[in-house]
Amino acid sequence: MTAHVQDVMAFTHKQMPFSHLPSAACAYFSNHLSVIYVTYETQGEWLNQTEVNLYLVRSGTFDLVSSQGEVVVRLAEGDYFGFPSLLSGDKISNRLQVATPGLVYVLGQHDFDYLRREYKEFEQHFVRAHTNRLLSTHYQSRSRNWSEYKVNEMMSAQVITSNMQISITEAARVMSRQGISSLIITDGSELLGLITDRDLRNRVLAVGFDPSLPVQTIMTEKPKFIFEHNRVFSALQLMLKHNIHHLPVLDEEYTPKGMITSTDLLKLQKSDPVQLINQIYKARSVLEVKRCASELPELLKKFSNKIDDISTIGKILSGVTDALTTRLIQLYQAEHGIAPCDFCWVCFGSQAREEQTLHSDQDNGLVLEEAVTDEQLVYFARLGAYVCEHLVECGIRRCPGNIMASNEACRGTVTQWIDRFYNWISSPTPKAMLNCKIYFDLRLIDGSASLFRDLCAQLDQICKDDLFYATMATDINTNSVPIGLFHQFKLEKGTVDHKYLDLKRRGVVIINDLVRLYALKAGVLKANTLERLDALLQFSVLSKRDIFDLKDCWRYLTQLRLKTQIDRDGLPSNCIDPQALTSLQKHQLKEAFFLIKQAQQASVFKFARGSL
């Protein structure tokens, strides 16, 4: 080994991620790089559009400058650059500007990709670095937040399908001709399976499997999928949860429309919370799960300062709770054995709507197959207690009403659950109405999707009682917005010197209740409030103007509510001091409350007039 290579290795071994990798990784890097001396005269030669490399600064200082002339980051000894284009495939848009001339190590894409494949920590280091770069204010999109994208805006719309009778060889030829890394297997328009490049390597070439056999013999049957109008965040979460890299995209008729891949999503993966979710799914113990959860409050506070739409935090918080729940279920089964029969873990309330805040509590339950035995019920009772108790330790509070899977009343078969719902619908007492507001927001977290679909289908069938809708509309109107005479705020009574507005109870909750009412009437199965409103555009129960007004009001109130929680200004949770608002904000808040009041009155006129 030459003295030059020894010197490079000694320096490189001190830098992340090589300081945490086997010495072979450092040796490979040192033996495959080239060295350049960047000066004022040569600075324009680097970061060109056609060749992407990984650069490591050995000496000197440099500024990475955007196409708008803004300094993205100051680079010094031990700093890397060039990795965003290597990871995402995007063209280089920045230029290098010398502050002090110096040496830079350069590694080509081929060698960078080799280290990514061989050393997982190497890849994770640069993915995290890319994420942090994207979160900086210089990379913050001013026009649109990444989480607002729908799947159909990111997917590959070229749908290449084959039937399951073709041979493995022919399937590989189709993929090669079309330049795709996965192939959807269908029967007519029905999704049956999926094969990927990885399947061809691991299930055929690596084991000497006969490639003349039908592709059905190696395909992944009933693969995970996502609907085209779901959000990108949901696709990313699903791929992290199940460690998959290809996700078929279906329309509402379950017909394949495209494919979204981990590479597609890497370009939008701008969130440290997303990295936290990834860590939770990979946690090897309850202790690791709790350690991840402890990072959330501070992480969210930093994240909230770097996004335009703070209501995104509700979806992220729910995603974290989903990940915590799923991983705890997996850890329980790893310790106590696989579940003895089909089940699904469901969530209710704000978690189901993906609208959690830092003060949300647990609302969850277990749906079990009809043939469950007494002995099997003991297993699920222990599972419920285990998950709910550890969620508490992760910072997700117990439900004051005990709506948790640790409670026997929140476990049962589809028939038992339907009986509960039917009793609430047919005898709409105030207590029953309260239950409906919580339980009719439901979403599958883990377990059997078929059990969950069966529950939803039967719920849709029993929600036909006009008296139920009339009672629900009347109940929603018992909660008034905080606007009094002369369009002035009606404040809640706190301490002698401190009065406030309850944005949740007097605003957000009313909108959620109204939207749930119309969604149930129209048969919309979505739980998220904004997604319900989008779906209601296809029905005649609400005008487009009313739908857009409710969406704007919900977003505005949620923004104020979450900002208050994050800033922790001493008020009760979900509350705000109107005196702290600007004149424009006060006007907007009053207008939001006025529109909510109009929507309340319209619901009574539509559902309750002449029915009670």
Side-chain angles (χ1 to χ4, degrees):
M1 184 183 296
T2 66
H4 166 70
V5 174
Q6 287 179 326
D7 177 64
V8 172
M9 284 190 64
F11 173 79
T12 304
H13 187 67
K14 296 176 183 178
Q15 316 305 321
M16 285 290 290
F18 294 102
S19 58
H20 286 65
L21 291 174
S23 58
C26 184
Y28 184 94
F29 179 88
S30 302
N31 281 288
H32 288 80
L33 59 79
S34 56
V35 183
I36 59 175
Y37 186 68
V38 184
T39 67
Y40 301 107
E41 292 76 19
T42 63
Q43 62 188 9
E45 299 175 14
W46 310 109
L47 291 182
N48 60 64
Q49 295 289 328
T50 58
E51 185 179 4
V52 291
N53 300 292
L54 177 68
Y55 302 89
L56 171 60
V57 178
R58 175 64 192 265
S59 63
T61 52
F62 312 91
D63 289 331
L64 206 58
V65 181
S66 73
S67 56
Q68 288 77 38
E70 296 177 319
V71 176
V72 175
V73 65
R74 167 63 64 93
L75 301 163
E77 180 180 314
D79 289 331
Y80 296 95
F81 61 101
F83 53 85
S85 293
L86 288 167
L87 291 170
S88 67
D90 290 342
K91 291 182 178 180
I92 295 171
S93 58
N94 299 322
R95 57 185 173 84
L96 199 64
Q97 186 171 292
V98 174
T100 306
L103 291 174
V104 177
Y105 296 154
V106 184
L107 190 73
Q109 173 141 29
H110 174 78
D111 296 314
F112 178 84
D113 289 341
Y114 170 83
L115 289 170
R116 284 182 68 188
R117 290 194 303 270
E118 292 296 313
Y119 304 101
K120 201 65 181 174
E121 279 193 45
F122 180 91
E123 179 178 56
Q124 289 173 344
H125 172 81
F126 288 104
V127 168
R128 283 194 294 269
H130 183 39
T131 299
N132 291 334
R133 178 77 65 79
L134 288 167
L135 271 172
S136 71
T137 54
H138 295 287
Y139 276 70
Q140 175 64 42
S141 169
R142 302 302 182 195
S143 58
R144 195 175 182 197
N145 187 272
W146 66 276
S147 65
E148 295 178 0
Y149 282 92
K150 299 292 180 68
V151 169
N152 59 5
E153 297 177 80
M154 289 297 300
M155 70 181 187
S156 168
Q158 183 183 20
V159 183
I160 308 299
T161 65
S162 290
N163 63 65
M164 60 183 179
Q165 279 76 42
I166 68 167
S167 69
I168 297 169
T169 299
E170 182 56 31
R173 287 174 181 158
V174 171
M175 293 167 66
S176 178
R177 283 197 304 268
Q178 298 293 336
I180 55 178
S181 58
S182 60
L183 183 64
I184 295 174
I185 309 301
T186 61
D187 180 9
S189 62
E190 180 186 359
L191 173 67
L192 294 182
L194 179 71
I195 64 166
T196 66
D197 282 341
R198 183 174 295 186
D199 294 330
L200 294 175
R201 291 196 307 270
N202 297 343
R203 299 179 182 180
V204 182
L205 296 176
V207 296
F209 197 77
D210 185 356
S212 67
L213 291 172
V215 72
Q216 178 185 7
T217 57
I218 67 159
M219 73 180 187
T220 299
E221 296 185 19
K222 298 180 179 178
K224 302 296 179 185
F225 62 83
I226 195 160
F227 292 110
E228 60 179 333
H229 295 301
N230 287 153
R231 292 191 182 191
V232 164
F233 181 82
S234 300
L236 179 58
Q237 205 178 334
L238 189 62
M239 295 170 84
L240 289 173
K241 178 178 179 179
H242 297 286
N243 193 28
I244 54 179
H245 303 279
H246 297 80
L247 199 60
V249 181
L250 310 185
D251 63 17
E252 297 296 333
E253 303 299 322
Y254 289 82
T255 301
K257 300 292 290 185
M259 180 73 70
I260 192 164
T261 69
S262 54
T263 302
D264 298 326
L265 295 179
L266 181 61
K267 298 175 183 178
L268 287 180
Q269 190 173 324
K270 305 176 182 180
S271 159
D272 274 350
V274 170
Q275 295 299 324
L276 179 63
I277 290 171
N278 192 17
Q279 292 171 25
I280 292 169
Y281 281 129
K282 294 180 178 179
R284 291 167 293 183
S285 67
V286 172
L287 186 61
E288 283 189 32
V289 171
K290 294 175 185 175
R291 188 180 299 120
C292 291
S294 68
E295 299 176 14
L296 184 61
E298 187 61 28
L299 184 150
L300 279 178
K301 186 171 183 178
K302 293 177 181 177
F303 180 70
S304 68
N305 294 324
K306 298 172 182 177
I307 58 173
D308 295 323
D309 183 5
I310 201 172
S311 64
T312 302
I313 289 178
K315 185 169 279 288
I316 290 172
L317 273 168
S318 301
V320 170
T321 306
D322 289 358
L324 292 171
T325 304
T326 300
R327 192 61 187 136
L328 288 170
I329 292 171
Q330 293 168 347
L331 290 172
Y332 181 86
Q333 293 192 85
E335 184 178 346
H336 300 281
I338 299 299
C341 68
D342 280 350
F343 78 97
C344 66
W345 186 287
V346 296
C347 64
F348 308 105
S350 61
Q351 186 184 353
R353 296 192 305 272
E354 298 179 279
E355 297 165 10
Q356 283 188 285
T357 71
L358 291 169
H359 300 289
S360 294
D361 53 49
Q362 294 185 50
D363 289 308
N364 50 56
L366 277 164
V367 182
L368 310 173
E369 71 172 35
E370 295 297 330
V372 63
T373 67
D374 289 343
E375 183 179 355
Q376 292 168 343
L377 286 172
V378 173
Y379 175 96
F380 290 111
R382 291 171 178 167
L383 170 64
Y386 176 95
V387 175
C388 292
E389 187 57 38
H390 285 312
L391 283 175
V392 171
E393 294 172 8
C394 288
I396 315 298
R397 297 183 299 128
R398 287 185 180 84
C399 172
N402 204 19
I403 301 174
M404 299 186 295
S406 53
N407 176 9
E408 184 179 6
C410 292
R411 301 189 298 270
T413 65
V414 171
T415 299
Q416 289 170 330
W417 276 107
I418 292 299
D419 286 344
R420 293 167 188 161
F421 277 95
Y422 182 76
N423 288 335
W424 299 330
I425 292 170
S426 58
S427 301
T429 63
K431 174 65 175 175
M433 287 296 95
L434 178 60
N435 284 331
C436 287
K437 291 177 182 179
I438 298 170
Y439 286 97
F440 266 113
D441 296 339
L442 73 162
R443 185 166 56 83
L444 172 66
I445 298 299
D446 196 46
S448 170
S450 61
L451 266 180
F452 183 72
R453 285 196 298 269
D454 188 20
L455 175 65
C456 291
Q458 293 194 43
L459 279 178
D460 187 48
Q461 291 300 311
I462 65 173
C463 291
K464 308 295 183 186
D465 191 328
D466 288 341
L467 178 60
F468 167 65
Y469 290 105
T471 305
M472 183 175 283
T474 303
D475 180 74
I476 292 170
N477 275 267
T478 61
N479 186 10
S480 60
V481 297
I483 295 292
L485 292 175
F486 309 112
H487 216 48
Q488 297 300 306
F489 290 125
K490 291 171 62 177
L491 303 181
E492 307 281 343
K493 293 182 179 179
T495 61
V496 175
D497 299 321
H498 217 156
K499 296 183 179 180
Y500 48 83
L501 293 171
D502 190 329
L503 297 176
K504 177 185 177 182
R505 189 165 66 93
R506 299 294 190 182
V508 176
V509 164
I510 299 175
I511 298 174
N512 290 343
D513 291 345
L514 286 166
V515 175
R516 183 188 306 108
L517 170 67
Y518 287 103
L520 286 173
K521 184 65 176 177
V524 172
L525 298 180
K526 301 177 186 295
N528 178 267
T529 299
L530 294 182
E531 290 177 5
R532 279 173 166 168
L533 284 166
D534 285 337
L536 287 171
L537 288 168
Q538 308 302 317
F539 300 90
S540 58
V541 292
L542 268 176
S543 70
K544 286 186 178 181
R545 174 67 180 271
D546 290 339
I547 288 173
F548 293 139
D549 282 346
L550 286 173
K551 287 178 71 173
D552 288 343
C553 291
W554 187 92
R555 283 197 180 101
Y556 183 69
L557 293 176
T558 300
Q559 291 271 100
L560 285 178
R561 177 188 176 197
L562 286 170
K563 188 177 186 306
T564 301
Q565 289 188 357
I566 290 168
D567 290 345
R568 298 176 183 174
D569 55 7
L571 292 172
S573 63
N574 304 305
C575 296
I576 192 169
D577 180 0
Q579 298 306 314
L581 302 177
T582 65
S583 296
L584 177 60
Q585 288 174 321
K586 290 177 184 177
H587 174 77
Q588 291 172 322
L589 188 55
K590 289 177 181 179
E591 183 65 18
F593 286 138
F594 176 73
L595 291 171
I596 294 169
K597 183 176 181 179
Q598 282 189 317
Q600 281 181 290
Q601 294 169 342
S603 71
V604 171
F605 183 82
K606 182 180 291 289
F607 293 105
R609 188 181 183 191
S611 299
L612 296 176

